[in-house]
């Protein structure tokens, strides 16, 4: 293991055979063999450092955490500067407010949706362009960077907005044609910028993600792009530069509880995380490995529940029906970031991790050992919420506490209630703080939220916003209201096959002009 300190941090592939610096990992996105980059060793945050962070602003906290991985390459001052710039675009003075919902049971909600696109992806994707730019500088890369992204709804818009008109970059986003909410689709399809491209795929998110990963892994395709002076990188959480900024808000929530007098240094708390691709909750596990006192990470799945079943049985099985739900950003069967966790619990066995990923691709399942399952049982609690469970949780919290949430947070609250029941059955119920991560503004899903809170069903998203405002008195974000008057810019649809998707990326890389907005006359 490398000593952490003044030396550059190195990263290794979960499938072995590659070792790179942090800057190289950010530029490359994915390992050449398809593996994901993980830190060679987890840097530690000491108790003294944690106490120092208490007095810091959120941008300073984020820069400090990022610095543990990247300061020696990118510079501590640079990280502080870019975090200040990135989070200055947020609508809230505190980019990540921690809201006490129920003091009696210790329920808190960490609001991660105050960024430009009203979703938690902004926490990382407002920072990533700066990290990528500096990483290209320190590694001497002069090629144009093409950010290739698959999205289940929120990552796409956040990537498009984050990299819009950033010199030396282009952004191509694929989203499932029928697998995103109306507001999510509108956000992407009205996107401005001269370096962006958006296309719907006639499939689901897993289809989009599989094609994108294949393009990354194709030596032939990457060689063709290299001839054009173009290099692929990713804005998905498979890129460590996307994952790293998310670690910071776990530390920040903990520190806010300390300053509020709710816990003392060293007290362990729980986090409930709605997740589909496993990136958001993995960031919490990384925070724990860095020394943050985390008791359990509660993994909240929706009706697709592949992760909930995995934590229950120790078998990851995608041979199942795919469901489209009211929490579309979690409508995922292949959770890419789980590979990073598997690598760790296997004792960093790259060969075994690679074999499991091969089994998943070919046999559609893999299993873990009893020893590995025991480790996961100690660290995680997995649960899922049906559509009815989600609606009921959203209604109950709003009815009792007046707190409105989006559908993904609704899934998390439903699983939070399951976790409290589990604690009671196992005689470990207490009122220690439990922080639920809220991943999107309710107005991104106005029709579903309105239905959950009032039973009223409307077809138009903007009517939904109006009625939700009348019900909750919660101010709608201007960025969402403005979409109504912007023309659709992207109407491209591609078939669910690698050939057509690759052809579109190639045309975009070659400089094909993106569609002009249609006339509004």
């Amino acid at each position: 293991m490398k000593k952490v300190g003044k030396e550059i941090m190195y990263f290794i592939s979960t499938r072995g055979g590659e070792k790179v610096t942090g800057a190289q990992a950010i530029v490359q996105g994915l390992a050449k063999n398809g593996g994901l980059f993980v830190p060679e060793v987890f840097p530690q945050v000491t108790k003294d450092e944690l106490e120092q962070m208490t007095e810091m602003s959120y941008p300073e906290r984020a820069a400090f955490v990022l610095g543990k991985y990247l300061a020696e390459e990118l510079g501590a001052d640079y990280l502080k500067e870019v975090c200040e710039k990135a989070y200055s675009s947020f609508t809230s003075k505190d980019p990540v407010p921690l809201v006490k919902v129920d003091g009696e049971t210790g329920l808190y909600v960490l609001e991660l949706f105050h960024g430009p696109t009203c979703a938690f992806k902004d926490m990382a994707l407002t920072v990533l362009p700066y990290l990528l730019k500096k990483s290209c500088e320190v590694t001497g890369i002069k090629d144009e960077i093409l950010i290739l992204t698959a999205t289940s709804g929120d990552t796409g818009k956040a990537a498009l907005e984050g990299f819009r008109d950033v010199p030396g970059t282009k952004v191509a986003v694929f989203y499932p044609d029928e697998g995103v909410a109306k507001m999510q689709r509108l956000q992407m399809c009205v996107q401005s910028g001269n370096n962006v491209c958006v296309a719907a795929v006639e499939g689901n998110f897993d289809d989009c993600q599989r094609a994108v990963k294949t393009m990354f892994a194709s030596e032939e395709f990457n060689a063709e792009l290299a001839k054009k002076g173009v290099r692929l990188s990713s804005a998905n959480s498979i890129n460590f530069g996307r994952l790293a900024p998310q670690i910071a808000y776990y530390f920040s929530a903990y520190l806010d509880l300390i300053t509020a007098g709710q816990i003392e240094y060293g007290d362990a708390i729980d986090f409930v995380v709605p997740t589909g691709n496993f990136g958001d909750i993995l960031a919490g596990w990384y925070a724990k490995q860095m020394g943050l006192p985390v008791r359990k990470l509660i993994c909240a799945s929706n009706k697709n529940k592949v992760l909930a079943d995995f934590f229950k049985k120790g078998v990851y099985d995608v041979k199942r029906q795919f469901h489209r739900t009211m929490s579309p950003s979690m409508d995922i069967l292949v959770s890419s970031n789980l590979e990073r966790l598997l690598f760790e619990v296997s004792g960093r066995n790259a060969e075994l991790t690679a074999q499991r990923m091969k089994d998943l691709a070919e046999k559609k399942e893999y299993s873990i050992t009893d020893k590995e399952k025991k480790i996961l049982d100690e660290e995680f609690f997995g649960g899922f919420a049906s559509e009815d469970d989600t609606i009921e949780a959203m209604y109950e919290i709003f009815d009792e506490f007046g707190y409105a949430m989006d559908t993904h947070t609704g899934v998390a609250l439903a699983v939070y209630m399951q976790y409290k029941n589990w604690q009671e059955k196992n005689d470990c119920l207490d009122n220690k703080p439990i922080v639920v991560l809220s991943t999107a503004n309710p107005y991104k899903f106005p029709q579903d939220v309105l239905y959950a809170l009032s039973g009223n069903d409307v077809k138009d998203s903007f009517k939904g916003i109006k009625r939700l405002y009348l019900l909750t008195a919660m101010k709608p974000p201007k960025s969402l209201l403005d979409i109504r008057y912007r023309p659709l810019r992207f109407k491209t649809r591609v078939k669910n096959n690698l050939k057509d998707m690759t052809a579109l990326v190639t045309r975009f890389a070659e400089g094909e002009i993106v569609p002009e907005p249609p006339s509004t006359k």
Side-chain angles (χ1 to χ4, degrees), residues 214-260:
T214 302
M215 283 185 250
F216 269 100
S218 171
E219 292 183 9
E220 181 181 355
F221 180 56
N222 281 274
E224 287 298 315
L225 290 180
K227 292 177 184 178
K228 310 176 199 301
V230 176
R231 180 186 295 255
L232 291 181
S233 189
S234 175
N236 287 97
S237 53
I238 56 176
N239 188 326
F240 186 79
R242 214 322 274 287
L243 182 66
Q246 297 178 236
I247 301 170
Y249 49 71
Y250 285 90
F251 278 94
S252 189
Y254 187 87
L255 295 168
D256 285 349
L257 286 171
I258 289 175
T259 56

Side-chain angles (χ1 to χ4, degrees), residues 266-278:
D267 290 346
I269 65 170
D270 301 320
F271 289 92
V272 186
V273 189
T275 189
N277 217 17
F278 208 73

Side-chain angles (χ1 to χ4, degrees), residues 239-396:
N239 188 326
F240 186 79
R242 214 322 274 287
L243 182 66
Q246 297 178 236
I247 301 170
Y249 49 71
Y250 285 90
F251 278 94
S252 189
Y254 187 87
L255 295 168
D256 285 349
L257 286 171
I258 289 175
T259 56
Q262 300 302 303
I263 60 173
E264 297 181 355
Y265 291 101
D267 290 346
I269 65 170
D270 301 320
F271 289 92
V272 186
V273 189
T275 189
N277 217 17
F278 208 73
D280 200 7
I281 194 167
L282 182 74
W285 191 82
Y286 273 25
K288 184 174 184 177
Q289 305 317 299
M290 294 174 69
L292 187 69
V294 177
R295 187 169 59 173
K296 271 195 185 291
L297 291 158
I298 294 94
C299 179
S301 302
N302 66 12
K303 190 177 179 180
N304 285 290
K305 71 184 185 76
V306 65
L307 284 168
D309 287 347
F310 170 71
F311 281 111
K312 181 179 180 180
K313 303 173 184 176
V315 178
Y316 198 95
D317 183 359
V318 298
K319 302 187 301 295
R320 63 182 64 210
Q321 182 180 352
F322 176 83
H323 300 283
R324 290 193 171 97
T325 72
M326 67 174 67
S327 47
S329 295
M330 298 163 65
D331 290 346
I332 297 171
L333 293 183
V334 179
S335 303
S336 291
N337 273 288
L338 190 62
E339 179 174 342
R340 284 183 165 118
L341 183 64
L342 287 172
F343 177 71
E344 300 294 345
V345 299
S346 71
R348 297 200 145 194
N349 188 327
E351 184 179 353
L352 178 59
T353 304
Q355 182 60 51
R356 283 169 169 165
M357 294 304 100
K358 184 180 179 183
D359 288 344
L360 182 63
E362 296 176 356
K363 303 176 183 177
K364 306 303 179 186
E365 72 170 63
Y366 61 81
S367 59
I368 60 174
T369 66
D370 290 342
K371 181 181 178 181
E372 292 168 326
K373 173 105 173 22
K374 185 177 180 181
I375 294 171
L376 293 182
D377 288 345
E378 292 173 358
E379 305 260 338
F380 292 88
F381 174 92
F384 77 95
S386 68
E387 299 288 82
D388 288 343
D389 292 337
T390 303
I391 290 171
E392 185 67 21
M394 294 169 69
Y395 176 80
E396 283 187 18

Side-chain angles (χ1 to χ4, degrees), residues 478-495:
K478 186 176 184 300
S479 61
L480 296 181
L481 292 174
D482 289 348
I483 292 174
R484 185 173 193 173
Y485 306 104
R486 295 175 62 183
L488 287 178
R489 194 176 182 205
F490 297 97
K491 299 180 180 179
T492 305
R493 284 177 173 77
V494 294
K495 293 184 182 298

Side-chain angles (χ1 to χ4, degrees), residues 83-92 95 114-117 122 126 130:
C83 286
E84 293 283 1
K85 287 181 179 178
Y87 298 124
S88 68
S89 65
F90 281 49
T91 57
S92 172
H114 293 281
T117 74
D122 292 323
T126 53
Y130 297 106

